[in-house]
Amino acid sequence: MTPIFYAPLIATDPLLPEEESMHCTRVLRLGRGAELTVTDGRGVFYRAVIEEADTRRCRVRVVEQSEAPRPWAYGLHMAVAPTKSIDRMEWFLEKATEIGVDSVTLLRCRYSERREVKRERLQRVAVSAMKQSGQAHLPLIEGMTDFADFIAHHAAEAGNRLIAHCRSSELPPLSTSYHRGSNALILIGPEGDFSAEEVEMAEAAGFAGVSLGRTRLRTETAALAACHAIHVLNGE
């Protein structure tokens, strides 16, 4: 597969970002006249030719552009409490981007062991996964958001709003709670799960409690399982 480069301003700015310029010229050793595939992360691929192979400001000329529609017709928003180990959160984001997700919000919950996250670091992980998987859509990553604020902001949102937790053994499986073809917003809690008060708050705002199986999953495993399940239920 031809390497894909990320340049969010490619439509108006012929310069690749410094990191992409370095990879293009120093790592891949591409020079003047070489053809590249560039994406803006918003669903468009650009076929471009290098005009100036500079390691910090590689200049290209766009010769063709094409729309790359999303492979799925529904919205998928994962709201996840980051794990204590940031490596595990990066793993989830990488795999979710490869599978397909529209947006990821980082939740700050009562039992969260990690209260802050460097969003820029996760952004780089998502960009790398988007390019590696040959996509042109970069998921939107929202920074740390207090649980109560998130619930209030999405209280009237249309589509399936679900909260996966372990505070009840009587929860229906996600497969019977999600309506095929509809947008999905799924909440995944921290290592200590959501608090009882958080579950009550979400359910009062219209979120339906769901189970992700009979075993207790790690946060990042639960988030990825839910993400993949939505695509499977939609026949992807």
Side-chain angles (χ1 to χ4, degrees), residues 2 6 21 24-25 29 45 53 64 77 84 138-139 143 158 162-165 169 181 216 227:
T2 303
Y6 173 58
S21 295
C24 172
T25 58
R29 298 184 181 279
F45 280 124
E64 184 181 25
H77 183 173
K84 182 178 181 180
L138 182 67
L162 309 172
I163 177 170
H165 63 87
S169 58
R216 185 181 294 269
C227 179

Side-chain angles (χ1 to χ4, degrees), residues 5 7-8 66 224:
F5 296 87
S66 58
L224 188 62

Side-chain angles (χ1 to χ4, degrees), residues 112-157:
S112 292
E113 293 192 60
R114 176 174 286 277
R115 313 296 294 183
E116 299 296 336
V117 170
K118 292 183 179 179
R119 180 178 171 275
E120 296 76 13
R121 178 171 171 173
L122 295 181
Q123 181 81 5
R124 288 195 295 270
V125 171
V127 167
S128 178
M130 174 190 69
K131 296 191 299 180
Q132 186 277 329
S133 56
Q135 299 186 62
H137 294 272
L138 182 67
L140 175 65
I141 302 174
E142 297 286 357
M144 294 298 293
T145 305
D146 288 335
F147 183 85
D149 292 339
F150 184 85
I151 294 300
H153 184 72
H154 294 277
E157 187 169 306

Side-chain angles (χ1 to χ4, degrees), residues 41-62:
R42 295 186 295 275
V44 181
F45 280 124
Y46 298 82
R47 186 164 64 88
V49 175
I50 296 178
E51 291 194 325
E52 184 180 346
D54 187 284
T55 56
R56 297 185 62 184
R57 294 164 60 85
C58 186
R59 182 181 297 275
V60 301
R61 174 172 53 86
V62 173

Side-chain angles (χ1 to χ4, degrees), residues 1-6 23-24 28 30 35-38 131:
M1 177 184 293
T2 303
I4 297 174
F5 296 87
Y6 173 58
H23 183 69
C24 172
L28 299 180
L30 298 177
E35 285 197 0
L36 307 175
T37 297
V38 183
K131 296 191 299 180

Side-chain angles (χ1 to χ4, degrees), residues 109 111-112 164-167 189-195 198-199 216:
C109 302
Y111 297 134
S112 292
H165 63 87
C166 302
R167 294 203 162 272
E191 283 95 334
D193 202 358
F194 292 113
S195 68
E198 287 170 336
V199 171
R216 185 181 294 269

